[in-house]
Amino acid sequence: YDSLGKRMVTLPLHDVLGKVQVMDCETCVPDMPCPDCIVKCAEGLERYGGGPEGNRKCFSSTGDFEAMTFEPKPICWRPEPAPKCPLPQTAEAFDGPKGLAPMAPLRAHGCQGCTPESNDKNCCKMYCADGYELRDGDEGPVACQEDLPSRLYSDGRCEDINSLDQCLISAEWVDKDAHDLAPCCWREAGFHGGRRCARKASQGITLDRLPDMEGNAFMCAPTRKASYRNKPNCLARCHLEQDEYVDKDKVKSCKHEACIADGQGRYRIRVPIEIYSALSSSQQVSQLHVDGIVNIDETQLDGKVLWGHIKDEPQGWIRLVQADGKDLEEFAEKIGSDMDPCPCNIHCQQGAGKIYGSPDEGHKACRMNYELNVPVFEPAPKCSPRCDEPSHNDGTRNVTGCDCLAGEKCSCDVRCMPGSQLVFGSGFEGPRGCEIRGGKPVYEGLPTCVLECPVPSNQMRTLDTSKCKRPCVADAPERSKATDPPCSCYLECAEGHKHVAGGEFGDYTCRMSAGNLSFPATADWVGPGGAGVPFCMQQFWVEIVDASTGEPLAGARVGVADASRPDPVMWQVTERDGSHAGQVDFAVDYEKLRISVGMDNYIGITREWDRGEHCKNPSDCGVRIALAKILKHGDVHVEEDRCYVHAEHVGHYSMQATLEWDGPEKIPDLDLWVRSYECSLDTSTRYNCPQEQAGLAVEIDFLSAPGMCPPHLKCDRWTFTDKDLAAHEAKSCGLYVVETQSFYHHEKKHHKVRATTATDQDGRVVWKSDSPIPNQFAKWVFWDARYMKDLTTRIKGKCEVEHEQMRSKTNSKTHFKMKQPPPLVELLPEFMDWPSDHHISLDVDQTYGYGPETATFVNVPPGTYQIVVNRFGPPKGPPINDANPRVTIRIGTNGVFECRIPDTCKNRQNIWNVANILVEEDTSRPGKPRYRFRILDTAEEMIPLNRVSLPTVRKHFPGGCLAFAPFFAYRTYFESAQFAMGADPSDAVLQASCHGQCEPVADNADLRKCIASNR
């Protein structure tokens, strides 16, 4: 055996010597010519080594007879045997995925060992493999024929080769000019010099160094080859299994002659693969990524790798398929397209559809299943017939999700429309599937639905319905009667009420108006002349006004619906002129209404209204709704559960608070109070009036028994009655008089109903810089102190006062005044860049019914802003709760919240502590400024109210207690802003006042995170 374990045959020496023919060499004389002596290989043999064939002479180098000898004889052996046709590698014998066999299209029988001489024995027969069809040629016996000589490598000398495989495919030139080329032969043990490869017929091959043998032949490179001719040409044509519900016309395209799995076509890349410059090359050019599409114009099989050439890419070979043993990896899959030569296009037929989860419809490529060696189309869709969508029966049935295929999971749901009723025994409501019944796809058990008119509403006891005993089934002329026969009822206004709108008195019948899927059928009572039910109560009016001016808004779109049912919305547009400007009327008897209002450049609002709860006379009432313009600055965003108002520049954002209530029948006048808590705290701290101290003594506590002020009276707010001191204190969070415009009742000409703050043509408040209000202590913005500015400055200390004696000819009077010079005024260092045009203003004060009262905060600095509502009226009037007050808070352009007194608060008082707005500067990230805010509406987080800093009017209380220090004078103060001469509530009463319960106006889960009670 050789070093590779291959068996070698050793030839006996006499077998080799016996193959040489020697003629006429007995008479040869040493060192003399012997022309008759001829040595050659026997007939039918070839020289492989040793001496040359031809003439011989005898040699003697010493003259000794014993030393005489001839040249070596040639080594002769049988010529190269006839070549065998290689065993065709068909799918049956292929070790790996069958479709990658070199002759996968064929089946072969008896083809092992066939030679050109064995053709007459029908040695080999070939047929098309399963799944293939004959294109041309004949199936059956095939001929093994010898081809042109094998082409051997001839780039060097045989003796330089040290590899068996290379040696047996190589040759060496003997005479290049004569085109004499000799094959290389192999000896594992080595020829002379240890070389294992030698040229045939060279002197390196000797009797003791013969080539190895394989069978009866020397192991030399073959110079002859043979192959099978006239093999049948078999095509891998795809055939489609028909689906009953596939479009029969389109599927004919799949029988086209071009539907062959020849590898050409469009491919989708499944995994990242490399592009190579040539077939089997190791030179990578680039890489294709997943989901790429390429066009392949040529395929070649190299071993167990199927290569594809990318069209229009000279250096563009990629691996399509590769086998590793019996495992198969497909790098790209052939896909159908309109560019594929095979026009196969598969669609479901009309009236059928693709079953969910099955392959898509469209072009299908013919490609090879390499595991089974079968040409197949891409997976086709599974088709099923589609059920026709059930009828909505004139809008009495609600049909959803009924685009279903037979046998497929279905979301079809059929129910009676709201307001319709199921006829007993007619079918069932709910989900159902599409089934094949009698060869047709159908939905079974569809319900029959009818409409019914309920007994008409008595319109809050204004309509007499006593002659309508029961509900009636609608009788539509175009439908057959479903259950009960038509019935009627007699309607007229109740005693004491007049006909306002609607039909006349008389008999009314329930009639159906057909609908569709978008608009359900309706059933209505129809009376004389086809009119609707008589309307005997006053129409519900809705008035829309501007939140900042109280002016009626013309052109607002108002919609009203029944809040207790999904009834359609009735829309109207507010009028422009006359006593009904800004108003619309609705002839509806809903007890609970849902009112929606919208207008260009204003913030829309939807509000629910309960007549029984909010109207003194539910059959004759209405509501006023204030619309606010969209604020110009600041956008609200919720990020990581925190709320921010974003500004274009430092401090540029706006806020608003608008108060509304139910009307003068409940409480004529409510007032909105707002302020900066930091401004108030600064003043009360400097003047020894701590707000957190409950029951703090103040000067008005001693009005009932004038006398000396007690020693524990430390609060010096009384000094604010000096006008010079007030003027200086106005330099920090100063309150100023503004120009106003008053409006009066349209019937009671001297009855003022509201006063608005005047603005210039640019919308800026017209305030009087030389007219600070007399009391600068409490810092509330309200109806008597409408404008505050300079919230970023502080006074460095308390203004002191001194005694002044005023004398005249008839008497003298003790007075006090502010000492000079007053404390310095400084800008807070953290607000050096804050805009100077910041302010708080009360835009409108409503003095008679409904509201609105609106306060606007423009560019205000970070801090806490309090919002309070006060009932302005006699102390013994109804509590503030009865007016159903509501405050709408707007922050930036898009943050809108509404606060109400919660039902859980049973304290019935005159003051409502609505909410606090906490604004903080956020510096957590660079870029444009933003400010974090929260609406505080819980008792734990809100700042409690206290009487020492309640708002006052400009008028002084008469009298007061007498004190000696720092000088002898009366201590007096201003009258309460709650009501003229009304006593201030105690701290205990104020701190027990209800707080608000706030919610976003829109159903926005993110904005809920801005409210303390919702976190």
Side-chain angles (χ1 to χ4, degrees), residues 332-458:
E333 60 181 356
K334 193 176 181 183
I335 59 173
S337 74
D338 54 3
M339 300 176 62
D340 197 316
C342 172
C344 182
N345 199 348
I346 303 177
H347 287 265
C348 297
Q349 67 184 20
Q350 187 174 5
K354 183 182 80 71
I355 293 178
Y356 178 79
S358 71
D360 290 336
E361 299 173 281
H363 289 278
K364 299 297 176 181
C366 178
R367 60 193 188 188
M368 181 63 66
N369 180 324
Y370 296 100
E371 295 282 0
L372 302 178
N373 187 31
V374 177
V376 293
F377 280 110
E378 282 184 273
K382 300 293 182 184
C383 301
S384 181
R386 190 183 308 278
C387 280
D388 292 334
E389 185 174 67
S391 165
H392 57 74
N393 270 19
D394 293 330
T396 61
R397 284 199 300 227
N398 186 22
V399 180
T400 58
C402 292
D403 183 17
C404 297
L405 303 177
E408 187 179 39
K409 186 177 180 181
C410 180
S411 59
C412 178
D413 192 281
V414 182
R415 300 176 186 273
C416 292
M417 280 281 196
S420 300
Q421 297 181 8
L422 176 67
V423 174
F424 179 76
S426 68
F428 65 93
E429 296 182 277
R432 66 202 63 237
C434 174
E435 306 291 342
I436 299 292
R437 293 289 183 268
K440 295 183 178 181
V442 295
Y443 294 108
E444 290 194 316
L446 293 174
T448 299
C449 306
V450 295
L451 288 167
E452 188 177 78
C453 292
V455 173
S457 164
N458 63 18

Side-chain angles (χ1 to χ4, degrees), residues 758-779:
T759 57
D760 61 18
Q761 60 183 4
D762 296 323
R764 291 190 292 261
V765 174
V766 180
W767 61 285
K768 300 179 180 180
S769 59
D770 58 347
S771 299
I773 67 165
N775 186 8
Q776 296 285 334
F777 178 76
K779 301 302 183 185

Side-chain angles (χ1 to χ4, degrees), residues 16 114 212 220 333 416 711 907 931 963:
V16 178
C114 295
D212 294 338
C220 296
E333 60 181 356
C416 292
N907 300 332
Y931 304 92

